[in-house]
C-alpha cells in the first residue's frame, strides 16, 4: 500500500516518484557556518530534495594519538593523523540547531549521518527527519540499534560491506522494531571509476532485501547517477566541492558513451572493488582508551568503538563489557580476543 512507501519529511520515495537527490555538504563548509548556509541555499537552488551533513567531533570519532594504527598509510590523506583530520573536517555540534532552523526557514530538508550515540541524541532533539548510516559505520551494530530505536527513517550506505554485513545491519535495525529502512549502493573508492561502479548491484540489493535502494555516488560527472536511476535507484547522494572532501568531488560534464555504460553496469551481484579493501581501515573497531591491568574488569571506561578498524569488530562490544581482562593493555591498543577469552575459546 502507498502508506508503506519509504519517505523522508513527508516526501515519498519509490520507483513511482521522482528521484530523491541528496546533496552532501560533509566538510565542504571549510570551517565556516556562513559557508555552510550558503551551500545549503546553493543546493536548494539546484533542485535537490535534501541536504545532508555529518555529526561527530574528533573525540567521538577517534582518540588523540599518533600511535601507528591511527596514522593513514595510503590515499589522499597519507601520513595524516586521524584525529587531526576529523578536527579539520567536523561540523561543530553547536552549529546544528542554527543550521536546522536555517534549512527549515528556507524550506529545504536537512538531515545527517551520526557517528555515535551522542550525535544521535543531538539530531533527535532537533527533530531530524531521518538518519543516514555511513558505509564505514555499517558494521557498528550497537550504533545502528540505537539509531533504529528513535523510530525514524534510516538510509544505510553499503560501501565495503558484504551481503552478510548488510543483512546484519538491517537485522539490527529490525530488532528495534524499525523497518523504515533504505539502502544506498556505494563503492568506497574516491573517486570511483565508472568501470568499478557495478551499478547492477542496485537491482541485486533490492531483490535480496526487499527495500528501496539508491546510489551513493563517488564518481566524477553525472553518468553513474543517471544510469542508477534507469536501474531503479530512487535516491542519489550527490557531491559538493571545497574543503577536505573537495578532491573527491570535482564536478565534470556529463560524458556519454556506450563503452562507459557497459563498463559501469557490472554484474547483477554484489562485487566489492579491490580499491575498497584498504578503506576498511576507516571502519570502527574496539580499542582500549584507558590503561588496564590484567585481572581488572573491562568497562565502558576502558574500551570504545572508534576509528580505525584494526581491532575487534563493534559487534563484540557488549560481549566484552564485564569480562575480566586476561592481559594488560595500554591506551590506543587494539582489543583482541586474547584480552577477554580463555585460550580454549579463542578461534
Amino acid at each position: 500500500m502507498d502508506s508503506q512507501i519509504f519517505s523522508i519529511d513527508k516526501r515519498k520515495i519509490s520507483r513511482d516518484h521522482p528521484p530523491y537527490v541528496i546533496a552532501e555538504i560533509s566538510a565542504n563548509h571549510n570551517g565556516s557556518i556562513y559557508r555552510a548556509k550558503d551551500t545549503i541555499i546553493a543546493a536548494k537552488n539546484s533542485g535537490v530534495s535534501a541536504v545532508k551533513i555529518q555529526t561527530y567531533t574528533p573525540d567521538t570519532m577517534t582518540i588523540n594519538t599518533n600511535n601507528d594504527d591511527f596514522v593513514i598509510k595510503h590515499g589522499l590523506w597519507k601520513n595524516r593523523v586521524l584525529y587531526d583530520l576529523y578536527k579539520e573536517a567536523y561540523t561543530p555540534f553547536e552549529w546544528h540547531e542554527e543550521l536546522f532552523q536555517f534549512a527549515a526557514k528556507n524550506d529545504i530538508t536537512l538531515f545527517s549521518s551520526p557517528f555515535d550515540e551522542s550525535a544521535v541524541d543531538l539530531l533527535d532533539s532537533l527533530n531530524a527527519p531521518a538518519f543516514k548510516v555511513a558505509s564505514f559505520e555499517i558494521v557498528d551494530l550497537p550504533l545502528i540499534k540505537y539509531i533504529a530505536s528513535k523510530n525514524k527513517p534510516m538510509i544505510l550506505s553499503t560501501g565495503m560491506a558484504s551481503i552478510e554485513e548488510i543483512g546484519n545491519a538491517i537485522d539490527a535495525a529490525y530488532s528495534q522494531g524499525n523497518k523504515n529502512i533504505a539502502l544506498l549502493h556505494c563503492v568506497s573508492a574516491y573517486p570511483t571509476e565508472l568501470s568499478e561502479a557495478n551499478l547492477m548491484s542496485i537491482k541485486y540489493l533490492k531483490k535480496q532485501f526487499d527495500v528501496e535502494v539508491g546510489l551513493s555516488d563517488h564518481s566524477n560527472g553525472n553518468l553513474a547517477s543517471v544510469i542508477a536511476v534507469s536501474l531503479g535507484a530512487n535516491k542519489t547522494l550527490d557531491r559538493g566541492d571545497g574543503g577536505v572532501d573537495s578532491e573527491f568531488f570535482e564536478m565534470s560534464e556529463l560524458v556519454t558513451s556506450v563503452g562507459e555504460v557497459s563498463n559501469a553496469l557490472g554484474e547483477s551481484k554484489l562485487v566489492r572493488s579491490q580499491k575498497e579493501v584498504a578503506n576498511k581501515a576507516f571502519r570502527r573497531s574496539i580499542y582500549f582508551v584507558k590503561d588496564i591491568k590484567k585481572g581488572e574488569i573491562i568497562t565502558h571506561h576502558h574500551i570504545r568503538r572508534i576509528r580505525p578498524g584494526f581491532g575487534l569488530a563493534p559487534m563484540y562490544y557488549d560481549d566484552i563489557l564485564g569480562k575480566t581482562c586476561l592481559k594488560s593493555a595500554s591506551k590506543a591498543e587494539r582489543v583482541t580476543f586474547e584480552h577477554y577469552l580463555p585460550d580454549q575459546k579463542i578461534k
Side-chain angles (χ1 to χ4, degrees):
M1 295 178 62
D2 197 54
S3 60
Q4 297 175 328
I5 290 176
F6 185 86
S7 64
I8 296 176
D9 204 14
K10 299 181 181 180
R11 166 71 155 77
K12 295 176 181 177
I13 305 171
S14 77
R15 182 68 171 170
D16 298 326
H17 294 82
Y20 193 85
V21 180
I22 306 165
E24 170 69 74
I25 291 182
S26 188
N28 301 321
H29 51 68
N30 283 356
S32 166
I33 193 171
Y34 303 107
R35 182 178 172 89
K37 290 179 178 180
D38 288 344
T39 306
I40 289 172
I41 293 299
K44 173 183 167 61
N45 291 341
S46 73
V48 302
S49 309
V51 175
K52 192 188 78 64
I53 58 177
Q54 297 180 353
T55 304
Y56 64 88
T57 69
D59 293 297
T60 63
M61 189 68 85
T62 188
I63 54 177
N64 190 2
T65 177
N66 60 1
N67 178 296
D68 189 61
D69 276 1
F70 295 74
V71 178
I72 300 170
K73 305 301 190 300
H74 306 285
L76 294 174
W77 302 318
K78 184 177 179 181
N79 296 326
R80 295 291 303 274
V81 174
L82 280 179
Y83 188 91
D84 294 341
L85 185 68
Y86 295 129
K87 187 175 181 180
E88 180 181 330
Y90 83 111
T91 301
F93 276 27
E94 56 267 27
W95 288 9
H96 279 60
E97 183 174 7
E98 187 172 345
L99 290 178
F100 272 84
Q101 290 176 350
F102 181 80
K105 180 180 178 180
N106 287 279
D107 196 28
I108 180 70
T109 296
L110 177 67
F111 61 98
S112 183
S113 297
F115 289 82
D116 83 313
E117 288 81 352
S118 69
V120 176
D121 289 339
L122 172 63
L123 294 169
D124 192 45
S125 73
L126 296 174
N127 297 314
F131 293 103
K132 164 77 177 359
V133 176
S135 288
F136 294 99
E137 269 55 51
I138 197 169
V139 295
D140 192 347
L141 301 186
L143 177 63
I144 290 174
K145 287 181 179 179
Y146 193 73
I147 294 172
S149 73
K150 303 302 181 181
N151 201 32
K152 292 183 178 181
M154 296 174 62
I155 301 174
L156 283 67
S157 271
T158 62
M160 301 168 291
S162 66
I163 282 295
E164 181 181 8
E165 289 170 333
I166 297 169
N168 288 342
I170 293 175
D171 288 344
Y174 285 177
S175 74
Q176 304 303 302
N178 189 340
K179 294 193 174 182
N180 203 3
I181 309 297
L183 299 176
L184 291 179
H185 167 58
C186 176
V187 177
S188 293
Y190 309 97
T192 300
E193 300 296 333
L194 282 174
S195 60
E196 297 181 334
N198 200 35
L199 297 175
M200 289 295 287
S201 291
I202 293 168
K203 286 189 172 183
Y204 178 72
L205 291 171
K206 189 173 182 67
K207 181 179 179 181
Q208 289 291 313
F209 299 109
D210 193 28
V211 296
E212 294 295 340
V213 180
L215 173 69
S216 180
D217 184 16
H218 297 143
S219 65
N220 290 327
N222 300 314
L223 186 54
S225 294
V226 172
I227 297 169
V229 171
S230 74
L231 293 171
N234 303 306
K235 289 164 291 301
T236 298
L237 199 60
D238 204 353
R239 302 175 296 275
D241 48 47
V244 172
D245 286 348
S246 63
E247 291 189 63
F248 300 171
F249 302 140
E250 292 179 301
M251 300 301 287
S252 59
E253 295 183 1
L254 180 63
V255 178
T256 306
S257 79
V258 175
E260 285 180 321
V261 172
S262 177
N263 287 334
L265 288 177
E267 303 174 64
S268 185
K269 62 180 181 181
L270 191 68
V271 179
R272 298 264 63 108
S273 167
Q274 287 300 309
K275 291 184 179 180
E276 292 185 282
V277 174
N279 279 331
K280 285 189 176 183
F282 300 113
R283 285 177 163 181
R284 292 193 182 235
S285 66
I286 305 172
Y287 273 82
F288 288 104
V289 294
K290 180 181 180 181
D291 293 350
I292 188 170
K293 295 180 180 179
K294 180 179 178 180
E296 286 190 65
I297 300 300
I298 304 173
T299 73
H300 68 276
H301 295 295
H302 296 108
I303 62 173
R304 278 179 55 198
R305 309 183 315 271
I306 59 174
R307 298 187 185 187
F310 300 116
L312 287 180
M315 65 186 293
Y316 295 106
Y317 181 80
D318 289 335
D319 188 44
I320 297 169
L321 291 175
K323 297 291 175 61
T324 300
C325 190
L326 301 181
K327 56 182 290 190
S328 297
S330 302
K331 178 181 177 180
E333 185 174 334
R334 308 172 189 178
V335 177
T336 69
F337 289 121
E338 294 177 353
H339 286 107
Y340 77 102
L341 281 181
D343 290 343
Q344 63 268 27
K345 292 186 179 180
I346 297 175
K347 299 180 179 180

